[in-house]
Amino acid sequence: MKFGLGLKIAAFTSALIFLIGVALLGVLVYQERVTLHNMKMDEAEEYTKRTSSQVGNALYNLDIRELRRVVRSALEGDVADLVWVLDDKGRLLTDGSEKPFLRNQKPPYPIVDMLITSKVMSNAMDEQHHWTGVPVMMGESTVLGYVVVAFASEHLNARLREHLIKQLLILIPALFFGVVAAFLLGRRIAKPLEALSAAAEKIGGGDWGVSIGVNSQDEVGDLAHTINIMAGNLSKVAVSRDMLEGIVAEKTAELQKHYDHLQESIEERTRELAQSEERFRGFAESTSDWFWEMDENLRINYLSERYEEVTGRPKAALMGMTRRELADPKSLEADAEKWQQHFNDLDEHRPFRNFEYDILSEFGGGVVTFSVSGVPVFDEHGVFKGYRGSGEDASERKMILEELRHSERKFRSIVQTTREGYWLIDPQTKETLEVNSALCEMLGFTEAEMLGKTPLDFVDEDNAKVFASQMATISDTDHRSYDIVLKTKDGGDLHTHFEASTIRTPDGTPRASFAFVMDITTGIQAQNELRQARDAADRANQAKSEFLSSMSHELRTPLNGILGFAQLLQYDPSTPLTGKQKDSTDFIIKSGNHLLELIDQVLELAKIEAGKISVSLESLVICEVFDECTPLVQGMADKRGISFAQDKSSCENVRVLADHTRLKQVMLNLLSNAVKYNCENGSITVSGETTENKMIRVTVTDTGHGIPKDKEQNLFQPFERLGHEASEIEGTGIGLTITRELIHLMGGEIGFESELGKGSSFWIDIPLAVENGRAEKEGTQAVPQLDDTLDNPIGDAGKTYLILYVEDNPANLMLMEHVLEMVPNVELISTHTAELGVELAAARHPDLILMDINLPGMNGIEALSWLKKRETTQDIPVIAVTAAAMPHEREKGMEQGFVTYVTKPIQIDTFLQAVRAAIQPS
Amino acid sequence: MGFTGEFHWQVCRSTGLRVLALMLLVLTLAVATPSWAKPLTFGTISAVPVEEVQVFQPFVDFIAGQLAGDGIDAGKVVVAENVNQMAALLKSGQVDLFIDSSVTALVVNKLAGSQFMLRRWKKGREQYRSVIFVNDDSPITALDDLKDKLIAFEEPFSTSGYMLPALVIRAQRLGLNEVANVKSAPISGRIGYVMAYDNETQAAWLERGRVQAVAMAEDDFLSFSKTALKPLRALFVTPYVPYHVVTHRSGLDARLVARIKSVLKSAHETEVGRGVLRSFEKTTKFDDIPQSLLDNVLEFEPFLQQVIAPQ
């Protein structure tokens, strides 16, 4: 529905008139109310005063009947709704009724309290009544009582209503006429405009002949005149309808074409927009960022759905908040400068990127770090509308960065506090990037003096080559370890050890090279000292070995003569010895053997102490080894009437892992000691038992004198004979020492128990073999059986064998001559030098050569080598007959090619067996 | 105030009534009316005679109508100003029946020689008694303690408010004299009394110490006790007396008396009669006065002069 101008004017004017009328009425009514109220107040007070004047005497006399009458009289006429007469305490005496309900009670109305308090005329209002009260006085100060009158407000309201009705009766007609006038006014104003509108419509319809008949002297009249002129002008333009229609049609077609094109463009743009939106949505959904917007007050008014997915926090908590409100107060305080910069950006409407801040935990989910970027948004007029941007949860990254920084700090702390130097260089330029205080202190340079320089600046020419070669491998190696001598600031040398590493980027490109530098100057010195000490020790050992070897040789050589000739004396059947002579030769042989034993033991102890003795462990039947030892001591035991008792039950077929020779040596030592230190006609008991730790314990118990307690601790000390040095009991004091060392070498243990006067028990624990099977012995020399008689021919009895003896010692030569004279089919030739020996060997081609090693000029080893190189002599067996009894000498000799290595002093029978074996190996 | 007030118009009126009665008699005779028919006159004492006649007339007319066959042709109401006047009217035969409180009726009977006839259950009440009471904290514990004290009575012709309690006090051989107002002092050794002419005034005087005791009907005492300013205590309770009675003049025909009694006693048995009685100050019925109650009234006879006659 269209509301014309005239109607609008009429409505507006009517509304205005109405509003003015209502306002005016309200004012009048209010004024009237005030006036009536005041009048009513005056009337009420007057009425109350009048009533109170009538009750004075009755109050004084307490004449309730009279008071009742007065009250009833006052109530007549319906002026007052209620009249009370109260006593001086405000208690009701009468309200005009018989026996009033509130008799003797103070009516609970404010007017009563006001009267009692003020003792003057008082007024009060409530919704239904206007209250007036007055004290009834006798004199100036004595209150007889009070009169309270209540007037119904309805009276006042009735008066007001009456007045209001009167006013309305006046106002309504006035409003009516006003509305009518407004409509007439509107109509008057609208009519010319309607004429104008009709004319314009006609003109718009093509009828330019219209003429508007509005001649008022105002803007409307001017407009009508103008339109008339315009219509006239239009009619003057002589454009035919068809031509115009044609033009219009043409233009219309053109417009339609453009429209279609535009439509296509719109559709295409719409598609592109949809794709872009889809693309954007895809980016938004796939990215871990969320998008946000702020209004011009910098309050967040948009968060993409991604926010809740990424952060797990409700969007609602952030909506309407500013960044300052969201921020953790600690962050605001800690990063005040950063925040201020950000606020400045926001205030200046500048874009920002990657602004990180901690969001307050009250917004759910604990304290997290957001990283936001944003750009300001302006409308087409350049007015700032807010911000738009993206955000991400940077908590993890921050945490990682924190950890990285912490790790960096930790690394820095370690680098700076370590006593080792730290040197970081550029892998390309080799320039120093960083050093620590320890390195500076080592070299005596400051950090500033070192930065920018290369390591080559801190070495001499020789060490520069080392540096250069190492630095050349930075790209190719990850770790390099080398020693180098640096030059200190004061020109001194600093021996250092470099542990260098290459730091690479993920693609492997060297990013830096660092090294930890250790000052090894002290270590070098220590090494040098150690080396020197070791060299000295080696030299000492060497000297000791040479001494022992020399002593062994020097002692053995004369012993060879002593024992050899003594043996010859005993064994020469052509010249048998008398008993006394035999005793003497026995003593000579015995003493010689003792001396030889002592020499051997000393040499062995020396070898053990030097760690040069080794054991060859094999699986052995313990009882068999014991059985080998028993015969060797039986003779000695029989001489003293000592009996043997052997309990094999627990070790029958028990195998141990031990060195056969050394085990036998150990058992012989224990048995011989048990015999030597036993009592006459005593006994020796040998028993065995397996222990919990996979060993077998062999115990040798004697019935000797026992060992004093105070001497037990010296039992295993070398050369310690516990007081038997002056006794007839032979011994070197080294046997148990060697026995203990040998047992330990075999992984066993030795111990003893002794009781003075009763005897001693020596035990050895030997490891049980894992396999209880017979094992082959190894590393032992083939010892010929001693079952041949000395004068039996060797080899082929019908052949005479030629033996060449190379010996420079005449006594030994003589001994050998005498020994070999006993063999019927042997011819001996000899020489005293190795040079003559090899010539003689080449010339005479003996069947056997007996070679001393320690010879003047060419020694025996060299002679053997010469012989082995000659085709004519290489097959001749050569037996070494030498006092060089050291194991290494023996080994060396056997390696050179000796078939047998016989040490001096020789045992004739053993020697002859060796000769027979060499000549006839089968 | 007392019984000293003049009221002559009743006398004038009675004279006029006599003349009228005579004329009516003549007329009655002229129309062959029984010659012995006459009105039955009820009398009462009141200070507001117009209102009193309005109250009595319907009832009187009803009773008279019931007695039409007994020679009663009308009912009349005569209002006297005081006891003496009523006694004179009864004695002179101008009033046949007197209705009032039992003690007032006793006084009138003594003066006029009239006799008790029936009990009227005015306002449905058959009997009542008076209570003399004091403030509960008063040292007065017996009537004898009222000597030299003031007691407030209601009004001179109130049975419960004056005559009954006054007769009781007299019967206790206690002196009782009226004083001018509450500020007056009683004669030494005697009990002073003042008329308050209003129950509420009586109560107010006692509550505020203007008087030391008050006498009023028991019902009123109980009512005021509920709204008393301070607790009240009954000092003495009088015997029960009939609330209202009907007396007849001496010389009234015994048969008529019997007939009147019968009519009054049966008046409540009909709907019409109940309606008439109800409008007659809510009277429920008339019955014979119980002897015990009558004895209580008669016991005060020796002391009537002391209560009624001016001191």
Side-chain angles (χ1 to χ4, degrees), chain B residues 153-175:
Chain B
F153 294 122
E154 185 179 351
E155 57 180 3
F157 48 82
S158 169
T159 300
S160 60
Y162 169 63
M163 286 190 278
L164 192 55
L167 286 170
V168 165
I169 291 172
R170 289 294 185 184
Q172 298 287 326
R173 301 289 191 265
L174 291 171

Side-chain angles (χ1 to χ4, degrees), chain A residues 59-66 68 87-88 91-94 97-101 103-105, chain B residues 155 182-183 196-201 203-205 207-208 210 219-220 223-224 227-230:
Chain A
L59 261 177
Y60 180 82
N61 295 322
L62 211 60
D63 186 347
I64 307 301
R65 186 179 69 161
E66 178 61 16
R68 192 186 309 118
D87 66 4
D88 59 335
R91 298 171 295 203
L92 182 71
L93 292 173
T94 184
S97 64
E98 299 282 344
K99 298 176 185 175
F101 178 73
R103 179 178 176 276
N104 281 335
Q105 296 179 39
Chain B
E155 57 180 3
V182 296
K183 293 189 185 305
Y197 293 97
D198 180 73
N199 288 146
E200 284 191 56
T201 304
W205 284 355
E207 289 163 349
R208 289 163 177 78
R210 302 292 178 93
D219 289 348
D220 292 332
S223 174
F224 280 114
T227 59
L229 202 60
K230 55 178 82 175

Side-chain angles (χ1 to χ4, degrees), chain A residues 568-613:
Chain A
L568 279 176
L569 282 174
Q570 284 193 343
Y571 293 145
D572 186 358
S574 61
T575 54
L577 297 175
T578 62
K580 193 174 180 179
Q581 290 171 336
K582 190 173 187 311
D583 290 340
S584 299
T585 54
D586 282 343
F587 185 79
I588 293 168
I589 291 171
K590 183 179 176 183
S591 298
N593 285 329
H594 179 73
L595 181 59
L596 185 62
E597 182 186 358
L598 184 61
I599 292 169
D600 287 340
Q601 286 185 343
V602 169
L603 288 176
E604 193 161 84
L605 184 60
K607 282 189 288 185
I608 291 172
E609 289 176 349
K612 290 189 175 181
I613 201 164

Side-chain angles (χ1 to χ4, degrees), chain A residues 110-399:
Chain A
I111 186 65
V112 176
D113 294 323
M114 289 166 64
L115 279 172
I116 294 172
T117 304
S118 65
K119 294 185 173 49
V120 296
M121 171 162 284
S122 303
N123 290 280
M125 295 282 290
D126 61 26
E127 288 183 0
Q128 295 178 336
H129 294 94
H130 164 222
W131 297 81
T132 304
V134 63
V136 180
M137 307 297 292
M138 185 172 75
E140 292 293 326
S141 59
T142 303
V143 177
L144 294 176
Y146 303 92
V147 172
V148 175
V149 182
F151 300 91
S153 299
E154 181 58 29
H155 295 295
L156 177 64
N157 295 336
R159 289 277 298 272
L160 282 173
R161 279 196 296 272
E162 183 184 336
H163 180 74
L164 179 63
I165 291 171
K166 287 179 184 174
Q167 297 293 335
L168 283 174
L169 288 175
I170 298 171
L171 181 66
I172 289 173
L175 285 176
F176 175 77
F177 286 116
V179 169
V180 171
F183 271 91
L184 290 175
L185 177 65
R187 182 74 189 146
R188 184 173 175 78
I189 293 172
K191 188 173 179 183
L193 293 176
E194 287 175 1
L196 288 172
S197 175
E201 190 173 345
K202 286 182 180 176
I203 291 170
D207 181 6
W208 299 310
V210 65
S211 176
I212 304 173
V214 176
N215 299 312
S216 57
Q217 299 300 313
D218 56 17
E219 292 84 351
V220 175
D222 292 341
L223 182 62
H225 178 67
T226 302
I227 292 175
N228 288 335
I229 294 173
M230 182 183 72
N233 291 334
L234 285 173
S235 67
K236 292 178 181 176
V237 178
V239 178
S240 70
R241 185 184 296 275
D242 292 336
M243 188 171 70
L244 285 175
E245 285 181 351
I247 294 172
V248 167
E250 185 182 335
K251 294 300 179 186
T252 302
E254 196 175 322
L255 282 172
Q256 183 64 39
K257 186 178 173 185
H258 285 299
Y259 174 78
D260 292 340
H261 180 70
L262 190 62
Q263 192 71 19
E264 287 175 6
S265 299
I266 290 171
E267 288 176 357
E268 186 179 342
R269 289 286 179 270
T270 303
R271 283 195 295 276
E272 289 177 1
L273 193 63
Q275 288 175 1
S276 177
E277 185 178 342
E278 185 63 30
R279 188 180 300 122
F280 173 76
R281 188 174 297 111
F283 289 149
E285 290 176 357
S286 63
T287 183
S288 61
D289 295 352
W290 63 84
F291 302 102
W292 55 270
E293 285 186 350
M294 282 184 188
D295 60 19
E296 60 273 15
N297 296 317
L298 303 178
R299 293 191 175 275
I300 295 172
N301 60 359
Y302 170 76
L303 282 170
S304 65
E305 293 300 322
R306 202 74 179 136
Y307 172 79
E308 288 188 349
E309 294 171 12
V310 171
T311 67
R313 294 161 174 257
K315 288 198 301 182
L318 269 64
M319 297 301 288
M321 307 295 291
T322 66
R323 193 156 289 126
R324 186 193 292 272
E325 291 167 350
L326 288 173
D328 187 358
K330 293 178 188 173
S331 170
L332 283 171
E333 188 177 341
D335 299 320
E337 192 177 332
K338 182 185 81 171
W339 274 103
Q340 188 56 48
Q341 176 61 42
H342 180 63
F343 290 138
N344 291 341
D345 288 339
L346 294 177
D347 292 339
E348 296 296 325
H349 305 154
R350 289 192 289 263
F352 58 91
R353 288 189 66 79
N354 299 327
F355 174 73
E356 287 190 2
Y357 69 100
D358 293 336
I359 189 168
L360 200 59
S361 62
E362 291 171 5
F363 294 97
V367 175
V368 293
T369 302
F370 284 171
S371 177
V372 292
S373 301
V375 293
V377 178
F378 302 91
D379 64 11
E380 61 273 18
H381 303 296
V383 177
F384 175 70
K385 303 301 289 181
Y387 268 88
R388 181 178 297 144
S390 64
E392 63 173 345
D393 188 345
S395 304
E396 189 175 347
R397 184 179 68 208
K398 184 179 177 183
M399 184 178 71

Side-chain angles (χ1 to χ4, degrees), chain A residues 752-795:
Chain A
F752 73 98
E753 292 173 357
S754 182
E755 188 174 349
L756 203 59
K758 287 192 176 179
S760 303
S761 292
F762 281 80
W763 53 266
I764 52 172
D765 287 343
I766 308 163
L768 291 170
V770 174
E771 294 174 355
N772 266 303
R774 295 188 71 82
E776 292 296 328
K777 296 180 183 180
E778 60 183 25
T780 59
Q781 285 178 289
V783 178
Q785 298 296 316
L786 303 176
D787 53 354
D788 293 338
T789 61
L790 294 175
D791 56 354
N792 288 343
I794 59 175

Side-chain angles (χ1 to χ4, degrees), chain A residues 732-757:
Chain A
T732 60
I734 306 176
L736 279 176
T737 307
I738 294 172
T739 296
R740 184 180 68 175
E741 295 302 321
L742 291 175
I743 283 293
H744 286 169
L745 279 175
M746 289 187 286
E749 193 52 64
I750 185 170
F752 73 98
E753 292 173 357
S754 182
E755 188 174 349
L756 203 59

Side-chain angles (χ1 to χ4, degrees), chain A residues 787-806:
Chain A
D787 53 354
D788 293 338
T789 61
L790 294 175
D791 56 354
N792 288 343
I794 59 175
D796 183 0
K799 181 181 178 180
T800 301
Y801 293 90
L802 182 64
I803 297 175
L804 171 62
Y805 184 34
V806 182

